[in-house]
Amino acid sequence: MLNAYSIGMVCSLLIFAIGFGIVFAGTGSLVPAILAHAIINVLMTPTWQSVLLVAFITGALASWRKGVIMLRRVFSDTNAVTCIAVAIVGTTWAVIGAKGEYVVFAV
């Protein structure tokens, strides 16, 4: 069932995925994206979550121009239809996964 929580979760996943992709494209290394993902997954108190949010927003604002350049470079060879198709598949996968159902691909 779609609700505000699942839609918000899908949106945040999309933003984090694009952000981690930009970090990878800019650095050529998975280590910064893996470390950021690990920090996000750590259970924290609301105070530390707020501190982390401020740190991520500050970092995003400080590197905004370079991030836009990387975003253009990453998506320069793609077309809109492919991006929309991948977004639909990813959203469907996230919604099904949130329901607790298992998706199995036949090989």
Side-chain angles (χ1 to χ4, degrees):
M1 176 168 131
L2 284 178
N3 57 31
Y5 177 75
S6 64
I7 292 171
M9 190 62 111
V10 169
C11 290
S12 67
L13 287 173
L14 176 66
I15 290 168
F16 278 126
I18 291 172
F20 292 151
I22 291 170
V23 169
F24 173 72
T27 62
S29 173
L30 285 174
V31 174
I34 290 171
L35 289 175
H37 193 281
I39 290 170
I40 291 168
N41 285 346
V42 172
L43 297 176
M44 292 188 231
T45 63
T47 303
W48 283 109
Q49 286 178 344
S50 300
V51 169
L52 183 62
L53 179 63
V54 169
F56 278 151
I57 290 173
T58 304
L61 291 175
S63 62
W64 180 256
R65 185 168 292 160
K66 186 174 181 180
V68 170
I69 293 168
M70 286 295 147
L71 188 63
R72 287 185 182 147
R73 190 173 87 189
V74 167
F75 288 107
S76 65
D77 294 333
T78 61
N79 61 23
V81 174
T82 304
C83 291
I84 291 169
V86 169
I88 290 170
V89 168
T91 302
T92 304
W93 182 270
V95 169
I96 290 171
K99 288 182 176 182
E101 299 173 9
Y102 294 98
V103 178
V104 179
F105 290 104
V107 179

